[in-house]
């Protein structure tokens, strides 16, 4: 009987319910896609860029074309937005790991090439999801690099970039000796706390671009943990 006397109210409540469900599903879709775009390419691009750097760099053109194509369609605009932010990360990663990987101090400056552009876009409310994703992944990179600086692992980074593959295990083991110290473990805990703070707090927002940012930051923990686990197992 209620829907007879209050049809407008029932319809309004139903539309609110549906729109809220769509918003929730979109947030988790952005979250999952952002994690995928950070983690999987790390293991796909990393080996390729060392052997075929020009191919990796050339693939930037494909990602850019696809993201712009998706952006032009209202239905796929969100995914084009997110993919555009991934394109910036892919391009900078190709540049650094392809030709400059032997110099750790160039890593963050190269990865941050698009920061001015990302900030300009955010100030003009353009491609918010993709640019927040790019900045989130960059923050994760900065925290990881910071750990190398603080714990004195930079020399091992350089060695890994120049030694033959069969010698890499020995370098890894030497680096892990330093990681296992109280200083190394303490800073792991501190930096994980920082990543959790910047990763979880944005997820309290209803804005999709904050979910892209948070997911990119949290993905750093996953990627670093996988690398650390692989080093311990080796």
């Amino acid at each position: 009987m209620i829907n007879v006397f209050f049809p407008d109210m029932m319809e309004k409540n139903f539309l609110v319910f549906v729109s809220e469900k769509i918003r929730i599903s979109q947030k988790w879709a952005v979250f999952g896609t952002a994690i995928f775009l950070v983690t999987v390419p790390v293991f796909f691009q990393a080996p390729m860029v060392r052997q075929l750097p020009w191919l990796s760099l050339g693939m930037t053109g494909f990602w850019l074309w696809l993201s712009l194509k998706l952006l032009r369609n209202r239905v796929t605009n969100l995914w084009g937005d997110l993919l555009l932010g991934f394109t910036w990360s892919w391009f900078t990663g190709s540049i650094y790991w392809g030709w400059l990987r032997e110099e750790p101090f160039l890593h963050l400056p190269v990865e941050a090439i698009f920061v001015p552009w990302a900030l300009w876009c955010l100030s003009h409310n353009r491609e918010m999801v993709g640019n927040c994703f790019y900045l989130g992944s960059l923050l994760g990179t900065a925290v990881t690099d910071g750990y190398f600086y603080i714990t004195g692992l930079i020399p091992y980074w350089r060695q890994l970039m120049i030694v033959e593959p069969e010698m890499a295990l020995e370098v890894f083991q030497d680096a892990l000796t330093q990681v296992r110290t109280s200083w190394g473990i303490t800073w792991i805990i501190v930096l994980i706390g920082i990543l959790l703070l910047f990763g979880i707090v944005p997820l309290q927002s209803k804005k999709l671009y904050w979910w892209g940012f948070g997911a990119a930051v949290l993905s750093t923990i996953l990627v670093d943990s996988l690398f650390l686990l692989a080093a311990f197992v080796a």
Side-chain angles (χ1 to χ4, degrees):
M1 292 295 293
I2 295 177
N3 60 343
V4 173
F5 292 104
F6 305 102
D8 292 339
M9 182 181 298
M10 291 293 292
E11 182 179 357
K12 181 180 179 180
N13 289 338
F14 176 74
L15 291 175
V16 169
F17 173 79
V18 171
S19 63
E20 189 63 29
K21 287 295 183 182
I22 292 174
R23 187 180 299 113
I24 292 173
S25 64
Q26 274 191 325
K27 287 190 296 188
W28 285 109
V30 168
F31 182 84
T33 305
I35 289 180
F36 174 84
L37 291 177
V38 171
T39 55
V40 175
V42 166
F43 302 100
F44 171 69
Q45 186 184 23
M48 178 179 68
V49 77
R50 295 194 65 164
Q51 302 298 323
L52 302 166
W54 285 106
L55 176 60
S56 179
L57 185 62
M59 286 183 67
T60 305
F62 171 75
W63 298 128
L64 181 60
W65 169 82
L66 182 59
S67 61
L68 293 177
K69 181 178 177 63
L70 294 173
L71 271 171
R72 285 193 291 268
N73 190 317
R74 187 172 62 85
V75 177
T76 58
N77 177 271
L78 172 62
W79 309 115
D81 188 347
L82 184 56
L83 188 60
L84 191 62
F86 167 76
T87 301
W88 308 146
S89 296
W90 182 278
F91 175 77
T92 55
S94 297
I95 294 291
Y96 177 78
W97 295 107
W99 292 278
L100 304 171
R101 59 180 177 270
E102 295 179 15
E103 181 43 69
F105 295 107
L106 291 178
H107 185 215
L108 198 57
V110 172
E111 295 277 1
I113 288 174
F114 287 101
V115 167
W117 171 253
L119 294 177
W120 182 87
C121 286
L122 293 179
S123 68
H124 290 77
N125 294 315
R126 292 186 51 182
E127 291 79 51
M128 299 287 287
V129 177
N131 284 299
C132 281
F133 166 83
Y134 167 69
L135 293 175
S137 61
L138 184 63
L139 175 60
T141 298
V143 170
T144 302
D145 284 13
Y147 181 79
F148 275 79
Y149 301 147
I150 293 169
T151 55
L153 291 173
I154 293 298
Y156 299 105
W157 180 328
R158 289 197 175 97
Q159 290 179 47
L160 282 172
M161 296 301 110
I162 60 177
V163 299
E164 296 298 325
E166 57 270 17
M167 297 294 294
L169 179 58
E170 183 178 342
V171 178
F172 263 125
Q173 291 173 338
D174 291 340
L176 284 176
T177 301
Q178 201 149 327
V179 171
R180 290 191 183 104
T181 63
S182 57
W183 179 255
I185 293 173
T186 298
W187 275 103
I188 286 178
I189 296 172
V190 170
L191 295 180
I192 285 178
I194 292 173
L195 290 172
L196 287 174
L197 176 66
F198 281 95
I200 293 176
V201 170
L203 302 185
Q204 311 310 307
S205 172
K206 294 182 179 181
K207 302 294 186 181
L208 293 177
Y209 51 83
W210 281 122
W211 279 69
F213 179 88
V217 174
L218 291 175
S219 298
T220 304
I221 300 176
L222 176 60
V223 171
D224 289 351
S225 298
L226 291 174
F227 274 117
L228 191 61
L229 178 62
F232 274 114
V233 170

